Amino acid sequence: MFRRLADRMFASPVEQNVATLQNMGFSEADSRRTLQQTNGDLEQAANILLTRGPPASTVSAHQINRQQVEDDELQRALQASMSVSEKPPQRRRTVPAPSAAVAKAGKAALNRASGRSTVSNSHPNVQVPKKLSEKTKEEQILRTADRLKSNPQALDTLYKTLQTVQANPGNPKFRKVDQTTLGYQRSLANAPGAEDFLLAMNYRKSGPNQLSMDFVDPATLFLGLSALEQTKLTPEYQIAKTRVQFQKDVLQILHSADNDTQEAISRSGHMSKLPSEPAMGGAWIFVNFEGMENNKLQRKFDGDDTLEDVLNWIAGNGTKILEKLQSNEWSLVDGHRNPPTPLDIQTLAPRTLQYIGCWPSGKLIVQPTTKVFEKGASMATARGLGAAI
């Protein structure tokens, strides 16, 4: 049945008319001959054939009935198929057209990916900076040395390395750097500019984890040492160096009572001056050491406890900390101020925590006294109840 459907769908108009007349009971020969007489007019051909009457060769009534049944079934199948295909199409998501800027950016990206566009031809007035390896030896050394100014440990290690090479130019042992050693990993591996500085000093990669200097150039060596010495004079280096030493001192002080009986006795004396810690109520006071989040001190105080109580508590964890605060080598900074400001501990020591603004929430930071604080004389007095007086 469906084969007949296909034949009908794809047959020529003449063939379709012949098939229509055959379905009416006329032979194919009579149908074609009559259609030729009427120039393909199906209606006239049918009238002529009907007027003549069915020929002797016509099909039997039983065959006509069976063909009619098949045609009815075919018609129902066509209607069912059309009802399925006429379902409303699903709404497609409308994609907005890209803006001119997006289209331009996409085109530029495509050109870059295909190698057809470079900065020089797309932006002729822009000068691309040279790579470090394309710069002069002197500029390479100066630039890489400057990158080390915030990493005193790496800078000091490199300075000592060059000094050793300068004192022993003929010893190949001192002209090799093993990048797997603990010292290199701790001091230089994560320092930006450290390896580039060594390469600028005529070191080369002689293995997966090794740098070697084939020959010693006195002029390059002198230039490298001079560049590092100049970097040591920068404020960034001096601040970072002070911070590193500060952290070493803090750790040493916090553990000094383990082997020093006198220190343990002195700490107990300061702790004995403290008011009892409130069991209920009160507020937490935190003391942080700059850059040392794992060595934080915390304790509860009442609002009428004084800054001197906090200082005794700090001294109870290390008397040297209090001495350095009193000598202004270190500063006690109010971390809740913006910007953080050092407290004048001499003036504020007898004042209550609520008066100076460190209660009901206090965050104090112990840090090295910078030159800004030394010159600034802008010490904090009070931001709590005292600020209204």
Side-chain angles (χ1 to χ4, degrees):
M1 179 175 64
F2 288 102
R3 182 175 180 181
R4 291 174 56 198
L5 171 62
D7 291 341
R8 286 189 183 185
M9 292 175 63
F10 299 106
S12 65
V14 174
E15 296 297 328
Q16 291 180 0
N17 292 341
V18 170
T20 302
L21 294 174
Q22 283 184 287
N23 292 336
M24 295 174 65
F26 301 103
S27 67
E28 181 180 355
D30 291 341
S31 299
R32 289 185 183 278
R33 185 170 51 255
T34 307
L35 285 170
Q36 288 176 357
Q37 294 173 3
T38 60
N39 293 324
D41 190 325
L42 178 62
E43 185 176 354
Q44 290 183 13
N47 290 333
I48 292 172
L49 290 173
L50 289 172
T51 302
R52 293 178 183 173
S57 60
T58 188
V59 295
S60 65
H62 175 73
Q63 289 177 325
I64 294 175
N65 291 337
R66 186 179 64 182
Q67 193 168 20
Q68 185 64 40
V69 171
E70 291 180 356
D71 287 346
D72 292 343
E73 292 179 354
L74 181 59
Q75 187 66 25
R76 285 195 296 271
L78 278 171
Q79 292 176 354
S81 175
M82 291 175 63
S83 65
V84 172
S85 62
E86 290 175 359
K87 286 186 177 179
Q90 295 183 354
R91 293 184 60 185
R92 298 182 64 183
R93 183 178 179 183
T94 303
V95 179
S99 64
V102 172
K104 188 175 181 180
K107 184 177 180 181
L110 180 61
N111 289 335
R112 287 194 299 271
S114 60
R116 292 178 293 178
S117 174
T118 61
V119 176
S120 58
N121 59 38
S122 60
H123 299 81
N125 297 326
V126 176
Q127 294 187 357
V128 180
K130 293 182 179 179
K131 296 180 181 179
L132 182 64
S133 58
E134 297 173 350
K135 298 181 182 294
T136 64
K137 180 69 68 175
E138 179 179 2
E139 193 170 0
Q140 290 181 38
I141 293 174
L142 293 176
R143 288 177 64 86
T144 52
D146 183 70
R147 292 183 65 190
L148 297 164
K149 60 189 176 185
S150 297
N151 198 323
Q153 188 175 11
L155 193 149
D156 293 346
T157 301
L158 291 171
Y159 187 75
K160 186 180 294 184
T161 299
L162 296 188
Q163 282 186 318
T164 304
V165 173
Q166 188 180 47
N168 305 274
N171 192 336
K173 170 185 174 183
F174 299 114
R175 301 201 305 267
K176 293 183 180 180
V177 177
D178 186 353
Q179 295 178 303
T180 62
T181 62
L182 182 61
Y184 184 93
Q185 292 295 321
R186 183 174 60 246
S187 303
L188 301 177
N190 298 317
E195 183 174 331
D196 291 332
F197 179 83
L198 289 171
L199 294 175
M201 293 302 302
N202 294 327
Y203 281 88
R204 65 176 180 82
K205 289 186 176 292
S206 56
N209 297 295
Q210 183 169 295
L211 300 174
S212 300
M213 181 189 290
D214 295 330
F215 63 94
V216 177
D217 181 5
T220 303
L221 202 59
F222 176 79
L223 179 59
L225 288 168
S226 300
L228 294 178
E229 288 170 356
Q230 290 299 314
T231 306
K232 286 185 177 185
L233 300 178
T234 60
E236 293 88 349
Y237 172 84
Q238 294 177 6
I239 292 174
K241 182 74 172 178
T242 301
R243 187 178 296 116
V244 170
Q245 186 60 47
F246 164 76
Q247 293 173 359
K248 289 181 179 178
D249 291 343
V250 169
L251 291 176
Q252 184 178 0
I253 291 172
L254 292 176
H255 296 92
S256 60
D258 298 339
N259 302 315
D260 189 338
T261 305
Q262 186 59 43
E263 170 67 13
I265 294 173
S266 298
R267 291 188 185 188
S268 298
H270 285 287
M271 287 294 191
S272 65
K273 300 177 184 179
L274 286 175
S276 58
E277 186 170 2
M280 300 191 59
W284 288 104
I285 301 295
F286 298 93
V287 176
N288 297 335
F289 298 93
E290 186 182 37
M292 306 176 67
E293 294 299 326
N294 295 328
N295 298 96
K296 179 171 59 179
L297 306 177
Q298 62 183 52
R299 183 187 189 276
K300 280 189 174 182
F301 287 88
D302 281 320
D304 57 354
D305 291 332
T306 64
L307 180 61
E308 186 174 4
D309 295 328
V310 174
L311 293 173
N312 281 318
W313 168 53
I314 293 175
N317 289 275
T319 57
K320 291 289 185 181
I321 301 176
L322 179 59
E323 292 176 10
K324 290 181 178 292
L325 290 174
Q326 291 173 336
S327 67
N328 203 34
E329 181 179 349
W330 292 354
S331 298
L332 187 64
V333 176
D334 184 354
H336 283 320
R337 288 179 179 265
N338 188 21
T341 309
L343 295 173
D344 184 355
I345 62 174
Q346 304 295 338
T347 303
L348 298 177
R351 299 293 189 176
T352 65
L353 297 177
Q354 191 170 16
Y355 177 91
I356 65 177
C358 290
W359 197 95
S361 175
K363 179 183 178 181
L364 302 174
I365 305 171
V366 178
Q367 66 180 53
T369 301
T370 64
K371 291 186 177 181
V372 175
F373 288 165
E374 291 175 355
K375 295 179 182 177
S378 179
M379 306 289 282
T381 52
R383 63 177 178 86
L385 294 177
I389 299 177

